[in-house]
Amino acid sequence: MPKPESFPIEKIFVPTKQKKAVKPEIVGEIAESILEIGQQAPISVRLDGDRLVLVEGLHRLEACKALGETTIIGVLVPPELTQHKPLLSERPEVEAERIKMARLKQLRLEKEAAEASTAALRGAGATEAQRTRPTKGVRDNPKASPGRTAKSTPKTLSDWITQQKSSGGRY
């Protein structure tokens, strides 16, 4: 087991993939803990040429940066050990959580689609009911002739006269 030693924080390179995983609330909790009891667990770094690359301990590193520390306790791990470490996305519990969240999202989308189609059917039923209602001024008489009940409002006087002649009315 490598012995913990002190590393300068500004010399530690953090890969872009790891930078995206920073959660500020976790950094805050760790910073409070470091203030109270100090850094308990060392970070892991590896040598890459002349620079140090962070392997594990991103939130601890960020907490020390936030506290204004210039050094951090860590262990130097050989490169061959870092290659066999499973990535966060390969861990079974993380994958199970991802599958669960995807399923919940799918169920939510299906529920929203069902609600939208139900609302659309209700809306279509309301418009259908409006279309079947008789218009104002037209009698609801089944014996009335279709010409007399389906009158449209003429736009000109000559249209009105033509309509009156075809329906047998007097003008």
Side-chain angles (χ1 to χ4, degrees), residues 43-129:
I43 65 169
S44 300
V45 292
R46 67 177 168 83
L47 274 175
D48 184 29
D50 60 341
R51 70 179 180 176
L52 296 167
V53 178
L54 182 70
V55 175
E56 187 178 359
L58 174 67
H59 290 98
R60 284 171 275 167
L61 178 68
E62 293 298 321
C64 285
K65 281 182 185 178
L67 292 172
E69 297 287 330
T70 56
T71 60
I72 188 167
I73 299 170
V75 291
L76 190 59
V77 292
E80 57 270 4
L81 290 179
T82 61
Q83 292 175 358
H84 298 294
K85 184 168 178 65
L87 297 174
L88 183 66
S89 61
E90 295 173 355
R91 293 185 183 156
E93 63 272 6
V94 173
E95 190 61 27
E97 184 71 19
R98 186 174 291 133
I99 291 169
K100 176 183 165 187
M101 295 307 290
R103 181 66 183 139
L104 287 173
K105 181 180 179 183
Q106 181 66 28
L107 289 171
R108 181 179 51 82
L109 292 173
E110 288 172 2
K111 181 181 175 186
E112 288 174 0
E115 289 172 353
S117 68
T118 303
L121 287 174
R122 284 187 197 140
T127 33
E128 188 64 35

